[in-house]
Amino acid sequence: MSYDHDHDHDGGMYMPPGSSMPDGSMNSTSTDMGMMMHMTFYWGKDVLILFSGWPERSLGMYILALFFVFLLGFAVEVLSISPQLVGSNSMAALLIQACVYVVRMAVAYMVMLSVMSFNLGVFIVAVAGHGAGFLLLKARALAAANRADSPVPSAGISSKV
């Protein structure tokens, strides 16, 4: 049995409303129009990211969605720094760290689900967001290390007599 008529030439599979894939494994969640479920990377602004109907096939909304995915990737990296709570109750500190971890994992899964749209633009901005967040954190750590290694200026007071 062949299902060649269900595949397009862009690496995707057309999913009419209410139908299932040829092997019956997944149901389409499309309501009033068919949707293209891509199985390979593709370019284009017509993409479904995280929520039904978003970014609504407009270039402006697509750019906003890309910016949102970039921020999500950036946030994953920023949230990877555990808060250093000095002098506080150890149970409270543990609870705060656990909450930050839960938020970080939720955001990381949102990035993963966004990338699963197989849109190259979404993939590129997700990776760029992770890279920018990592770069910011490492630059701040390097600046802090350089401040710790440099001698403290004596505010213009000379030790020479």
Side-chain angles (χ1 to χ4, degrees):
M1 182 178 268
S2 174
Y3 294 103
D4 291 338
H5 63 280
D6 290 334
H7 294 274
D8 73 349
H9 298 288
D10 293 329
M13 180 177 288
Y14 178 74
M15 300 289 293
S19 68
S20 63
M21 296 199 41
D23 63 358
S25 63
M26 286 183 1
N27 290 326
S28 172
T29 58
S30 178
T31 55
D32 60 344
M33 65 173 56
M35 67 179 219
M36 180 60 66
M37 191 173 132
H38 288 273
M39 300 295 183
T40 59
F41 281 114
Y42 70 98
W43 283 105
K45 67 176 179 52
D46 297 334
V47 62
L48 182 65
I49 303 173
L50 296 177
F51 306 105
S52 179
W54 192 62
E56 297 179 349
R57 298 182 182 253
S58 74
L59 182 60
M61 290 301 289
Y62 177 68
I63 291 170
L64 180 65
L66 292 180
F67 182 69
F68 180 71
V69 171
F70 178 88
L71 288 179
L72 288 175
F74 188 86
V76 169
E77 296 301 323
V78 170
L79 292 171
S80 68
I81 299 292
S82 295
Q84 302 298 324
L85 304 172
V86 179
S88 64
N89 183 355
S90 63
M91 185 53 96
L94 181 62
L95 183 61
I96 289 172
Q97 286 182 338
C99 289
V100 169
Y101 178 78
V102 166
V103 169
R104 182 177 127 223
M105 291 310 300
V107 172
Y109 278 119
M110 288 178 71
V111 172
M112 179 200 63
L113 289 171
S114 298
V115 169
M116 287 176 61
S117 70
F118 287 101
N119 182 280
L120 275 170
V122 172
F123 176 76
I124 290 168
V125 299
V127 171
H130 281 288
F134 181 82
L135 181 66
L136 173 76
L137 294 176
K138 290 301 177 180
R140 289 185 66 200
L142 183 61
N146 285 341
R147 278 194 308 268
D149 290 342
S150 66
V152 178
S154 60
I157 300 174
S158 177
S159 61
K160 296 180 187 175
V161 180

